[in-house]
Amino acid sequence: KAGVTQTPRYLIKTRGQQVTLSCSPISGHRSVSWYQQTPGQGLQFLFEYFSETQRNKGNFPGRFSGRQFSNSRSEMNVSTLELGDSALYLCASSLLAGSTDTQYFGPGTRLTVL
Amino acid sequence: QKEVEQNSGPLSVPEGAIASLNCTYSDRGSQSFFWYRQYSGKSPELIMSIYSNGDKEDGRFTAQLNKASQYVSLLIRDSQPSDSATYLCAVNIMNRDDKIIFGKGTRLHILP
């Protein structure tokens, strides 16, 4: 069974631009969660989508948004990029919604904001 | 108190010895606990999940959960250089809208 895939793997943007990241979960998984990972803050939860609905959201500004499609693929958008948005963005898929099920991570998208 | 706390390390352990990694959490209602391993430049990969008090063994790895004391640990027996990585503890936090919160991780270095 194929794992979680994320595209693109690397991105370089400049301040003020916007970016869209994509995540395809493991086949059959309906929950997709997004995380931001930085050396200083570690892994921080952005949001979770299940059956095209946002179930949960972390403490990030409204510039961070997402959506999920009927095939469970998810996209994350960051508008008006800031230098501090440079990070590894990880998505994780799980079979069930909520925090009790095992999450499987994709390879991540490394975003650099100049 | 941080929701999930881990010693950042680095923890240096001789090859062949037992590596012990610890994690404490703040929410007494937490039900699910996970250990992930993350190699430098890679994404986290699941090692173990544990849901009940006591020990759970899988090969060289043993997870230990003590809900009364609010800690979860990971033991790695017969440590190998390939075990050198950052180990992330993750806990579901029910009083925070059912989210999984990750600790910042412990860097483990196995000395050959």
Side-chain angles (χ1 to χ4, degrees):
Chain A
K1 188 181 277 191
V4 180
T5 58
Q6 290 186 247
T7 56
R9 294 292 311 279
Y10 302 91
L11 265 178
I12 299 176
K13 293 285 188 179
T14 56
R15 279 181 299 174
Q17 287 187 307
Q18 75 165 20
V19 66
T20 299
L21 313 181
S22 180
C23 171
S24 292
I26 292 171
S27 177
H29 284 195
R30 294 165 62 192
S31 174
V32 173
S33 297
W34 287 90
Y35 294 87
Q36 180 195 68
Q37 188 174 35
T38 58
Q41 297 300 318
L43 260 173
Q44 292 188 286
F45 174 79
L46 280 156
F47 26 65
E48 178 194 6
Y49 285 88
F50 183 81
S51 293
E52 302 178 65
T53 301
Q54 186 181 89
R55 282 192 75 251
N56 244 325
K57 193 176 192 307
N59 295 325
F60 280 82
R63 300 185 296 108
F64 292 82
S65 63
R67 59 178 175 167
Q68 186 180 35
F69 302 94
S70 58
N71 62 357
S72 295
R73 189 177 70 86
S74 177
E75 288 182 347
M76 189 192 103
N77 185 275
V78 188
S79 62
T80 319
L81 284 166
E82 300 177 0
L83 294 179
D85 296 334
S86 294
L88 179 65
Y89 290 88
L90 293 159
C91 83
S93 81
S94 57
L95 194 61
L96 305 173
S99 61
T100 57
D101 196 22
T102 300
Q103 295 187 335
Y104 299 90
F105 283 86
T109 295
R110 172 76 61 184
L111 172 65
T112 302
V113 182
L114 302 176
Chain B
Q1 182 188 4
K2 292 181 181 175
E3 291 171 307
V4 181
E5 285 201 77
Q6 296 181 255
N7 188 317
S8 62
L11 174 65
S12 295
V13 174
E15 183 176 356
I18 296 175
S20 177
L21 305 163
N22 299 311
C23 171
T24 58
Y25 59 95
S26 62
D27 181 12
R28 286 194 170 275
S30 295
Q31 300 170 354
S32 307
F33 307 85
F34 307 90
W35 281 101
Y36 286 85
R37 177 177 62 198
Q38 186 173 24
Y39 292 114
S40 181
K42 301 294 186 181
S43 61
E45 56 178 327
L46 180 74
I47 299 176
M48 300 271 289
S49 59
I50 186 166
Y51 302 92
S52 304
N53 273 330
D55 296 359
K56 179 181 178 182
E57 187 175 317
D58 183 1
R60 296 187 296 113
F61 299 94
T62 299
Q64 299 176 318
L65 175 60
N66 184 322
K67 290 187 178 180
S69 300
Q70 294 175 244
Y71 83 77
V72 56
S73 61
L74 179 70
L75 302 178
I76 307 175
R77 289 182 300 281
D78 189 24
S79 297
Q80 303 296 311
S82 59
D83 295 326
S84 296
T86 295
Y87 289 80
L88 302 170
C89 169
V91 179
N92 81 319
I93 305 294
M94 300 303 290
N95 67 3
R96 280 281 303 278
D97 301 322
D98 191 24
K99 296 173 186 168
I100 289 182
I101 304 296
F102 283 78
K104 292 190 176 182
T106 298
R107 283 181 296 139
L108 175 65
H109 182 210
I110 305 301
L111 304 170

